[in-house]
Amino acid sequence: MRFYNTFSKTKEEFIPQNPPTVSFYTCGPTVYDYFHIGNARSFIMADVIRRYLEYKGYDVKFVMNLTDVDDKIIKKSIEEKSTPKEIADFYANAFFEDIKKLKIKSATTFPKATQHIQEMIELIKDLEEKGVAYNVDGNVFYDVTKFPEYGKLSGKNLDELSVGARVEVNEQKRNPLDFALWKKAKEGEPSWDSPWGKGRPGWHVECSAMSSKHLGDTIDIHAGGNDLIFPHHENEIAQSEAAHGHKFVRYWIHFGFLNINEEKMSKSLGNFLTAREILKKYSAEAIRLFFLQTYYGGPLNFSFELLAAAEKGVEKIKNLAERIESEIKKDDNVGIVPDFNIKQYYEEFEKVMDDDINTPQAVALIFDLIRTANKIISDLNNINLSFYKDLKKFLTDTAENVFGIIHFEELNKKSTQLDEKLINLILDLRTKLKKQKNYEMADLIRDELNKLGIELKDGKDGTIYKFK
């Protein structure tokens, strides 16, 4: 199994530190608004990688942080005449609602920044004692010149990074690239006591402190969007490696940018779409399939036409899944065993997924299976139950458990609900026939339902049914 490691710029064989355990950290949301569809791509692809590792037999300890203290949260609280905590709590709850709708598996833990202030203070103190951090009137900064390898993730040196770098202008800094570890408290903002006075942590220090707390000083995989490579992930490396003296992350995985109709998504252009908005019109399965059809590390153009096409693809999978469930319920194990090698599909699925999570080819393989299965079903009248069981197991293992684009349990639930509605409709019709004294037709309906395994019992309060 190989991943493209952003750090080495090459595909590397994946060898975890302590197999079968894999430590996996991914950057979560800053909870000041509903997350957008670009964030959804990162969250879903991290989820798929985590699921595939579990498919391969690894025990994945998956951590996704929530930034619940930040300039954006404070700004939003002022705009909405609320408190930062109320804003953070509201959008954190919205985040959990939306990832559940997107079929994203719950993390092993979702650490919040405000719950780890002490760990951040201890890390900053350590950096200050080691001479790589400095305090200016209650503001503590990281001195990037004291970390000779600064820029090794983005592949740039300090001089290159200084030109046009996205950094805050602050006269207290020794160097424009120095970044805040601790921010002095301002009136009306949330703050905590620290050795440097009241204040709050800088954004970058949160992930270093929380990943160390929950996964150890060196983690197997760290994932996030391409936009986080610099400065966020670069700064995480500088903080963690200066503090602990050894490698911070073994495999860096980054997800490509999402454009809307060939343009960069932004609120100023009016093409900013939240995942919550998209979920009102399209299924979670279609959104996931749409993302899976493109390599996770490359750019992706979002359009409603492409999403509608993905919805049709989901319908094809569902149609076969419903046919499979229908045939399995018949429990008829007499019939033709088709010339169909399911093992070959498993081997090909693992081959392409082992090659840097090649989801486009894996998805194509699933649709090839669907075409082949549909042709067999069309050509043969009486097929052995084993064929349908093999199909269900493969789709469960891959399309459901790894990709999350089909859910057999939900299909069964909907099917059961539909059966109940149909039976109740037939019972209402039978009651009307009895009121019209058309007992012959009413008895015929009762007898035909009985042949289907549905037994009716008439009483003074109406008719009830049970499955025989």
Side-chain angles (χ1 to χ4, degrees):
M1 186 175 181
R2 298 187 303 159
F3 290 124
Y4 179 83
N5 189 344
T6 308
F7 182 82
S8 66
K9 311 293 186 292
T10 59
K11 287 183 188 178
E12 295 181 20
E13 183 181 358
F14 177 63
I15 304 172
Q17 302 171 88
N18 303 301
T21 300
V22 172
S23 52
F24 191 156
Y25 186 92
T26 191
C27 288
T30 298
V31 284
Y32 74 102
D33 204 344
Y34 301 113
F35 65 86
H36 59 68
I37 196 67
N39 300 139
R41 184 190 190 192
S42 293
F43 299 156
I44 287 171
M45 294 313 300
D47 178 58
V48 168
I49 293 171
R50 179 252 188 108
R51 286 167 175 254
Y52 186 63
L53 287 166
E54 290 174 342
Y55 167 92
K56 295 284 284 186
Y58 291 110
D59 176 19
V60 182
K61 191 171 184 183
F62 187 80
V63 175
M64 178 186 281
N65 74 297
L66 272 71
T67 297
D68 61 345
V69 54
D70 183 81
D71 291 341
K72 293 175 182 177
I73 296 171
I74 294 167
K75 183 173 181 288
K76 188 72 168 259
S77 72
I78 294 168
E79 290 171 356
E80 298 195 1
K81 296 180 173 57
S82 183
T83 67
K85 185 178 187 308
E86 286 170 340
I87 292 294
D89 287 348
F90 177 84
Y91 287 107
N93 289 333
F95 165 76
F96 288 122
E97 288 172 7
D98 291 345
I99 63 168
K100 186 176 181 180
K101 289 175 186 174
L102 286 168
K103 315 295 184 184
I104 294 171
K105 290 183 67 174
S106 182
T108 308
T109 184
F110 288 103
K112 291 183 177 180
T114 56
Q115 297 170 345
H116 295 76
I117 299 296
Q118 192 55 43
E119 286 85 357
M120 295 176 209
I121 290 172
E122 292 302 319
L123 177 59
I124 296 167
K125 281 169 60 180
D126 192 11
L127 291 171
E128 191 177 33
E129 288 167 7
K130 287 183 166 66
V132 294
Y134 58 95
N135 173 19
V136 182
D137 190 29
N139 290 299
V140 184
F141 300 98
Y142 187 101
D143 186 346
V144 296
T145 64
K146 298 293 176 66
F147 188 70
E149 294 181 292
Y150 191 78
K152 62 183 179 179
L153 180 65
S154 55
K156 297 176 182 178
N157 60 41
L158 279 176
D159 292 335
E160 289 174 319
L161 287 170
S162 296
V163 179
R166 294 188 303 155
V167 293
E168 257 182 80
V169 176
N170 190 323
E171 292 179 0
Q172 292 182 323
K173 294 181 181 181
R174 294 176 184 171
N175 182 299
L177 286 171
D178 291 353
F179 55 91
L181 297 171
W182 190 260
K183 296 183 177 184
K184 185 178 179 179
K186 293 179 183 177
E187 189 176 347
E189 292 186 353
S191 62
W192 290 263
D193 291 326
S194 81
W196 316 283
K198 280 189 169 294
R200 59 187 172 89
W203 175 41
H204 308 298
V205 76
E206 296 175 11
C207 286
S208 287
M210 289 189 280
S211 63
S212 176
K213 168 75 179 288
H214 295 282
L215 296 173
D217 295 344
T218 298
I219 56 181
D220 289 316
I221 298 171
H222 193 319
N226 271 344
D227 57 320
L228 297 179
I229 295 174
F230 183 85
H232 185 52
H233 290 164
E234 198 76 74
N235 292 350
E236 280 187 64
I237 291 173
Q239 292 162 163
S240 297
E241 296 191 1
H244 304 133
H246 49 75
K247 197 175 186 69
F248 171 43
V249 173
R250 303 178 78 242
Y251 301 88
W252 284 97
I253 296 176
H254 288 97
F255 308 114
F257 292 111
L258 185 76
N259 296 320
I260 307 291
N261 293 321
E262 307 295 347
E263 287 186 304
K264 183 180 178 182
M265 182 171 62
S266 71
K267 288 184 177 178
S268 61
L269 291 172
N271 62 358
F272 185 88
L273 300 169
T274 67
R276 180 164 284 214
E277 290 174 300
I278 305 298
L279 278 164
K280 290 176 182 176
K281 299 178 181 178
Y282 298 92
S283 69
E285 290 81 4
I287 295 169
R288 293 178 71 97
L289 178 59
F290 168 68
F291 290 140
L292 289 165
Q293 290 172 316
T294 301
Y295 171 63
Y296 73 81
L300 173 60
N301 183 54
F302 178 93
S303 74
F304 289 107
E305 291 78 13
L306 292 171
L307 199 50
E311 197 76 80
K312 289 179 181 177
V314 170
E315 284 303 311
K316 288 181 182 178
I317 305 172
K318 282 185 178 178
N319 290 340
L320 178 59
E322 286 169 355
R323 178 63 184 267
I324 289 168
E325 290 290 69
S326 175
E327 295 296 333
I328 289 176
K329 282 177 184 176
K330 292 178 183 177
D331 200 23
D332 182 5
N333 208 23
V334 178
I336 300 166
V337 178
D339 183 15
F340 180 75
N341 185 2
I342 197 70
K343 184 182 177 184
Q344 185 179 341
Y345 281 94
Y346 274 105
E347 289 172 352
E348 186 62 24
F349 179 80
E350 292 187 25
K351 178 183 175 183
V352 297
M353 286 294 286
D354 282 350
D355 185 15
D356 196 22
I357 312 295
N358 192 333
T359 58
Q361 285 194 31
V363 166
L365 178 75
I366 288 171
F367 281 105
D368 177 68
L369 172 98
I370 291 168
R371 283 190 295 272
T372 303
N374 284 336
K375 188 174 187 313
I376 290 170
I377 293 166
S378 174
D379 290 347
L380 300 176
N381 291 324
N382 189 21
I383 301 174
N384 191 279
L385 190 62
S386 62
F387 170 73
Y388 292 104
K389 287 184 174 179
D390 284 346
L391 286 177
K392 181 176 180 179
K393 186 175 187 313
F394 179 81
L395 289 176
T396 300
D397 290 341
T398 59
E400 181 169 4
N401 292 346
V402 177
F403 289 162
I405 54 177
I406 185 72
H407 297 88
F408 279 95
E409 188 176 327
E410 288 182 12
L411 285 178
N412 283 330
K413 188 176 179 181
K414 287 178 183 177
S415 176
T416 301
Q417 289 171 345
L418 181 61
D419 288 347
E420 289 174 354
K421 287 178 181 178
L422 287 172
I423 293 169
N424 285 323
L425 184 65
I426 292 168
L427 294 185
D428 288 344
L429 175 62
R430 182 171 176 268
T431 299
K432 288 177 183 176
L433 288 168
K434 288 170 73 176
K435 284 181 180 178
Q436 295 167 2
K437 301 189 185 304
N438 191 343
Y439 299 113
E440 184 180 351
M441 185 59 73
D443 289 345
L444 179 62
I445 290 173
R446 179 199 60 204
D447 295 341
E448 290 301 317
L449 287 174
N450 193 59
K451 289 177 185 177
L452 294 172
I454 303 166
E455 187 177 329
L456 304 186
K457 186 175 182 181
D458 294 315
K460 62 178 181 179
D461 296 324
T463 302
I464 59 172
Y465 71 90
K466 69 175 182 178
F467 292 99
K468 292 195 292 186

